Amino acid sequence: ILVLRKEIKEKFQDAWKLNDKGHQEEHYENVFQCGLAINDSLGGRYDPKLIMLAAYFIDLFAWSRVNHHELSHLWVSTTDHPIIGTLSKNNRYLVSIACLQHRASFKGHFSHEFAELISAADREFPGDVDHMLQRAIDYRLKWNPEMSAGQRRDEAIKHLKDKFGYKGYSRYPSMYNNAFKGELEKQRELIEAL
């Protein structure tokens, strides 16, 4: 798995540079590690290699906030890139459907438990509200550089509350709640206190 991770980083780092700072290698690695932890709570049902592939490709096209999930799904489904092309038909489906259904705003029913696992992992480990806030500020800096630092911070705080607060729209899959219930509650408290 270490060799594959190194190969992914070497081959895709230029593509990731198009994304905002919140959707770079650090995020992918956090999703991977969180996915491994959730997988452990499920008794290790899924191959860590599949978790890593999904974690590193769900946001491959995150320069588009509108349809990056669809673009990643299409890429995984159709690419002849050797990293994906050697997967079995079933494993390619699992990674592609995880890409399609990973977003916090996804409202449908997960097509497979693996898609739910990756969607849950995409929220990363709960608790690091400072990191979440910095990601939201960095996103605004990339797409609205004319904003003042104060405006960026205010909008980022509003975004965190709207998305991850007690009444936020972010969907936390049940397996995320099961794995991190206490930590998630504390995170919500910290977000509301911003």
Side-chain angles (χ1 to χ4, degrees):
I1 221 166
L2 294 175
V3 172
L4 180 59
R5 182 191 295 158
K6 183 177 183 223
E7 183 180 356
I8 290 169
K9 290 177 181 183
E10 288 171 359
K11 299 208 186 273
F12 291 93
Q13 63 183 332
D14 287 340
W16 298 337
K17 289 177 184 173
L18 299 173
N19 297 346
D20 62 86
K21 283 176 68 175
H23 292 91
Q24 299 282 331
E25 184 180 329
E26 180 183 7
H27 173 59
Y28 309 144
E29 186 62 23
N30 289 340
V31 173
F32 175 44
Q33 295 304 321
C34 187
L36 291 176
I38 294 169
N39 191 45
D40 285 348
S41 76
L42 297 172
R45 293 182 195 165
Y46 298 100
D47 182 346
K49 175 184 170 183
L50 294 180
I51 296 169
M52 184 177 64
L53 289 172
Y56 273 81
F57 292 130
I58 56 174
D59 292 320
L60 180 60
F61 301 98
W63 46 263
S64 168
R65 299 300 292 146
V66 176
N67 67 341
H68 75 275
H69 57 297
E70 294 168 345
L71 295 172
S72 291
H73 166 70
L74 181 63
W75 183 81
V76 170
S77 298
T78 62
T79 187
D80 62 355
H81 194 286
I83 289 175
I84 297 295
T86 58
L87 292 175
S88 70
K89 184 178 178 181
N90 184 60
N91 286 344
R92 185 187 281 236
Y93 167 78
L94 290 178
V95 174
S96 70
I97 204 68
C99 291
L100 185 63
Q101 298 175 355
H102 82 276
R103 296 186 73 175
S105 58
F106 176 69
K107 301 293 184 212
H109 296 286
F110 292 108
S111 300
H112 194 279
E113 183 184 60
F114 184 75
E116 181 180 355
L117 185 154
I118 298 302
S119 179
D122 187 47
R123 309 301 164 258
E124 298 187 11
F125 289 105
D128 193 349
V129 174
D130 289 337
H131 175 69
M132 294 170 74
L133 181 58
Q134 190 58 54
R135 283 185 69 202
I137 289 169
D138 289 344
Y139 175 82
R140 280 148 188 80
L141 179 60
K142 178 165 177 91
W143 299 109
N144 298 302
E146 71 285 349
M147 278 182 152
S148 72
Q151 286 176 306
R152 280 194 297 274
R153 182 174 170 76
D154 290 347
E155 283 201 13
I157 289 171
K158 181 181 182 324
H159 169 73
L160 289 185
K161 289 182 178 187
D162 290 346
K163 186 173 182 178
F164 299 111
Y166 284 114
K167 295 180 182 177
Y169 68 83
S170 183
R171 179 179 187 181
Y172 288 98
S174 60
M175 65 177 61
Y176 190 89
N177 287 320
N178 293 339
F180 306 117
K181 185 175 184 175
E183 296 95 333
L184 182 57
E185 181 62 24
K186 181 66 176 168
Q187 176 177 287
R188 287 182 173 136
E189 288 175 15
L190 292 170
I191 288 171
E192 289 301 323
L194 287 173

